[in-house]
Amino acid sequence: MSAAATRRLTTAQALVRFLAAQYTERDGVRRRLITGTWGIFGHGNVAGLGQALVEYREAMPYHQGRNEQAMVHAAVGHARQLNRLSAQAVTTSIGPGATNLVTGAALATINRLPVLLLPGDYFASHAADPLLQQLEHPVEADVSVNDALRPVSRYFDRITRPEALLASALRAVRVLTDPAETGAVTLALPQDVQAEAYDWPEEFFADRVWRVRRPEPDPAELAEAVRTVRAAARPLIVAGGGIHHSEAEQALKELVDATGIPVASTQAGKGALRHDHPADLGGIGHTGTAVSDALARTADLVIGVGTRYSDFTTASGTLFQRSDVRFLNLNITAFDAHKLAADTLVCDARAGLTALTRALSGHRVDAAYETEYRTGRARWDEVVEGAFGADDDSAVPTQTQVLGALDAVVGDEDVVINAAGSLPGDLHKLWRARSPRQYHLEYGYSCMGYEFPAAIGVQQAAPGTPVWALVGDGTYLMNPTEIVTAVQENLPVKLVLVQNHGYASIGGLSESVGAERFGTDYRHRAADGSFTGDPLPVDLAANAASLGMHVLRAKTVRELREALTTARAATRPTCVYVETAPAREPVPAQAWWDVPVAEVSGRAAATEARAAYERAVADRRHHL
């Protein structure tokens, strides 16, 4: 009897070959799971994974990054654009390269998006100990800096022997492809083990298909959900990101068309309905629209679909105010479905919505309720028009007029990306999403510096699609280095760089909580420690140009529209730089958000802010 066939490879070579043979399949469509690997090489991965990636360059595409955190952001943007059915890997050296992954890993796991992290690690043999950049722990010799990735990973393993990869690689891919468990997956790779040879069974390298399931709702849960919906007079759907991940947008539309139930969306769920659908009310919560939040306060049933109910969505527990309000949560994860003491439908979003539509046949909300929310929606449309419009095309644009100019230029297929600062609030309240993939807000972690790297990942996933990264000056200074990557890869990403000379979002929040905008200025400091009125002589447009971008400067509303039109047609990375004027009448938040204020203070601003805080927090409810 002959021995089973084997192939002698290093651990790193075996891992690359294994990853190249993994596929996902959903609804009969097969896709490659790991579409490429991002990497910055140093000691810890150059001789192992670096050598393997060059040896198998035809099987595993490689992308060169400039910042480890940014590589994870690019991979996350890529996975989100592809509805979590494909992902990318990220490899780094030992030491600071590895610890730079932590922020990106947290972002991926919080947002339920898959990314595979492959940091280098110490010598498993401890032959060279301590080596350069190794963390020595006095009582746990098996700890390294990579252990910082444990709490932000959905799966973590350290591969201390080659054969350990056989089981661990399969477990890692299972988590990456599981719609209920996915997030960051970390395989820490000791550098001596990466280079060690082993006789691998040929079966390890065979094509393997991971079917991404669509679990149906439990019949008893579905029957109870139908009774609950039929009994409600003022139901409201809260659409979350799970609708997009499940590709359930059409199923949502069919339910809404049949029943007339209105839809408000979280940051991740915006675009689940087109903005011009009569039942689409826009964003909900602290950054939501007036009509969404008004209906939320009077809803007797809130139907959460694919949402994890962040504090922005619930206005820190103050939004859903009706005394008899009930919750029905449709979610693929039981963890999220049970939030707010809800009745549950633990299932795939598309499967659950389709089942609800079928079971609710003939049911429709009262005509007066439809008239009410459509009237409120029309009033909010007027607010959007006022914020987007400009009476004088020769004037310096406000931030909302920048969004209005972009709205006039983009097509249905364009993707608009943002994550942090004051832009997410304006976008959630005002942006008119025209397709499921157009509105790409990372607001689970709200990570400054996500926008441009994510745009690279999206552009890789959707060649030929105009991809826009909207970035404020504070965010730009966090992470501009991947501009060089876009230039090197010849990716025509469009950067809209908004200069308002400061951390505008946190500055406004600081003022509202009695911290008096402390530490949020971009102005010169005088000898006495005070700030002068002069902005710093920083030219971010010149910086972007020095990194290889084509830069268009716009000073007026008219010049901005022209620059955006030119950028959209560009075939190379292009930046539109614009300095903004303060809005004459900024669109205020429509609901509260809990940022605790000093209970005692010797400063009047803090004392006044505390009084306002106590009035607001009195509306908080615990939904039991």
Side-chain angles (χ1 to χ4, degrees):
M1 188 172 180
S2 61
T6 60
R7 191 185 311 186
R8 191 162 182 80
L9 299 172
T10 69
T11 303
Q13 292 163 357
L15 178 58
V16 172
R17 295 299 304 180
F18 170 83
L19 293 175
Q22 306 305 301
Y23 296 86
T24 63
E25 183 177 288
R26 188 169 72 181
D27 303 329
V29 179
R30 183 174 298 188
R31 300 167 177 84
R32 180 166 172 162
L33 173 61
I34 303 297
T35 64
T37 297
W38 288 92
I40 296 176
F41 294 114
H43 86 94
N45 69 338
V46 66
L49 274 172
Q51 187 282 326
L53 286 167
V54 72
E55 182 155 342
Y56 299 122
R57 68 178 76 184
E58 293 182 4
M60 177 60 67
Y62 167 73
H63 310 293
Q64 181 180 353
R66 268 73 194 175
N67 175 282
E68 292 86 359
Q69 180 187 133
M71 293 192 300
V72 186
H73 293 337
V76 168
H78 186 84
R80 174 169 168 171
Q81 181 68 19
L82 296 173
N83 298 319
R84 308 191 301 186
L85 298 171
S86 293
Q88 292 178 321
V90 178
T91 178
T92 71
S93 63
I94 187 174
T99 50
N100 280 350
L101 295 174
V102 174
T103 295
L107 181 149
T109 296
I110 286 170
N111 286 285
R112 319 301 207 252
L113 293 166
V115 61
L116 176 61
L117 307 179
L118 305 172
D121 214 322
Y122 55 60
F123 279 57
S125 66
H126 292 283
D129 194 30
L131 73 157
L132 178 65
Q133 299 178 323
Q134 180 179 341
L135 172 72
E136 291 184 277
H137 195 287
V139 296
E140 295 181 87
D142 61 341
V143 167
S144 81
V145 296
N146 287 329
D147 288 272
L149 288 160
R150 287 181 184 270
V152 292
S153 296
R154 292 292 290 169
Y155 178 78
F156 179 98
D157 195 11
R158 179 174 286 112
I159 310 301
T160 56
R161 292 178 60 87
E163 59 267 36
L165 182 65
L166 292 168
S168 191
L170 292 169
R171 292 174 186 145
V173 174
R174 183 197 68 78
V175 174
L176 287 171
T177 58
D178 189 318
E181 292 190 40
T182 195
V185 168
T186 300
L187 296 179
L189 301 171
Q191 50 195 297
D192 54 345
V193 177
Q194 287 182 53
E196 186 176 344
Y198 182 75
D199 293 324
W200 303 88
E202 282 289 349
E203 293 89 346
F204 189 58
F205 307 114
D207 286 359
R208 191 179 301 267
V209 179
W210 301 79
R211 287 181 174 82
V212 181
R213 61 188 181 276
R214 289 192 181 278
E216 296 284 339
D218 175 82
E221 284 194 336
L222 178 61
E224 180 61 27
V226 170
R227 285 192 290 270
T228 300
V229 175
R230 288 186 180 276
R234 300 180 63 82
L236 173 67
I237 293 172
V238 175
I243 291 177
H244 294 309
H245 300 329
S246 178
E247 298 175 298
E249 297 89 359
Q250 181 60 29
L252 175 67
K253 181 178 182 298
E254 289 170 2
L255 174 65
V256 171
D257 288 345
T259 64
I261 301 174
V263 176
S265 49
T266 69
Q267 286 279 16
K270 194 173 172 76
L273 281 184
R274 267 187 65 102
H275 75 93
D276 52 3
H277 191 286
D280 181 64
L281 308 182
I284 190 171
H286 177 63
T287 53
T289 68
V291 58
S292 287
D293 289 350
L295 259 66
R297 293 184 180 100
T298 59
D300 59 354
L301 176 64
V302 178
I303 307 170
V305 184
T307 177
R308 63 190 190 94
Y309 286 113
S310 76
D311 64 336
F312 260 59
T313 299
T314 67
S316 300
T318 65
L319 186 58
F320 307 113
Q321 281 297 315
R322 186 162 163 154
S323 60
D324 60 347
V325 64
R326 296 183 65 183
F327 295 87
L328 169 63
N329 291 339
L330 192 166
N331 205 296
I332 200 166
T333 67
F335 177 82
D336 290 314
H338 282 273
K339 289 177 178 175
L340 301 176
D343 294 332
T344 61
L345 271 177
V346 181
C347 60
D348 170 76
R350 194 170 85 181
L353 289 169
T354 299
L356 267 179
T357 302
R358 188 181 303 118
L360 287 167
S361 177
H363 174 74
R364 192 168 185 88
V365 299
D366 189 80
Y369 185 48
E370 288 192 70
T371 300
E372 176 188 344
Y373 70 67
R374 291 187 184 195
T375 301
R377 182 200 137 94
R379 286 197 296 266
W380 189 258
D381 286 341
E382 294 175 1
V383 173
V384 174
E385 290 295 335
F388 278 4
D391 297 330
D392 182 3
D393 278 3
S394 64
V396 176
T398 65
Q399 181 166 284
T400 58
Q401 287 169 348
V402 171
L403 299 183
L406 183 62
D407 175 76
V409 168
V410 300
D412 288 10
E413 68 275 21
D414 294 39
V415 179
V416 177
I417 301 174
N418 188 240
S422 56
L423 277 165
D426 287 341
L427 284 161
H428 199 207
K429 287 192 288 277
L430 305 173
W431 187 259
R432 300 184 280 214
R434 307 173 193 182
S435 64
R437 296 261 65 88
Q438 182 173 86
Y439 187 86
H440 184 129
L441 260 284
E442 188 290 296
Y443 219 56
Y445 209 42
S446 186
C447 184
M448 296 175 73
Y450 170 84
E451 295 88 343
F452 195 80
I456 290 174
V458 171
Q459 192 75 82
Q460 290 175 327
T465 297
V467 180
W468 302 84
L470 274 58
V471 175
D473 49 310
T475 292
Y476 178 87
L477 289 169
M478 287 278 185
N479 204 357
T481 53
E482 297 313 307
I483 287 174
V484 178
T485 300
V487 172
Q488 182 178 35
E489 300 253 347
N490 195 30
L491 296 170
V493 178
K494 296 92 173 62
L495 169 64
V496 180
L497 179 49
V498 179
Q499 171 65 276
N500 55 20
H501 299 287
Y503 296 105
S505 173
I506 294 301
L509 178 61
S510 171
E511 189 169 40
S512 72
V513 298
E516 304 174 52
R517 292 186 176 264
F518 180 75
T520 64
D521 261 298
Y522 271 14
R523 294 179 291 167
H524 282 288
R525 190 184 293 274
D528 64 358
S530 64
F531 288 103
T532 71
D534 301 322
L536 294 174
V538 175
D539 190 340
L540 299 183
N543 179 264
S546 75
L547 296 176
M549 284 202 110
H550 177 54
V551 176
L552 304 168
R553 295 176 184 258
K555 296 182 178 179
T556 67
V557 173
R558 182 184 304 108
E559 290 177 2
L560 176 61
R561 290 199 199 99
E562 293 169 354
L564 292 171
T565 301
T566 300
R568 187 173 188 272
T571 56
R572 58 171 171 161
T574 302
C575 170
V576 176
Y577 175 84
V578 57
E579 294 193 43
T580 57
R584 292 189 302 274
E585 296 179 7
V587 181
Q590 303 298 311
W592 185 63
W593 180 46
D594 191 347
V595 179
V597 177
E599 192 167 359
V600 294
S601 174
R603 299 185 68 85
T607 300
E608 293 170 7
R610 179 67 192 191
Y613 176 83
E614 290 176 352
R615 289 192 296 271
V617 79
D619 289 333
R620 172 174 284 140
R621 293 187 58 193
H622 296 285
H623 297 285
L624 302 173

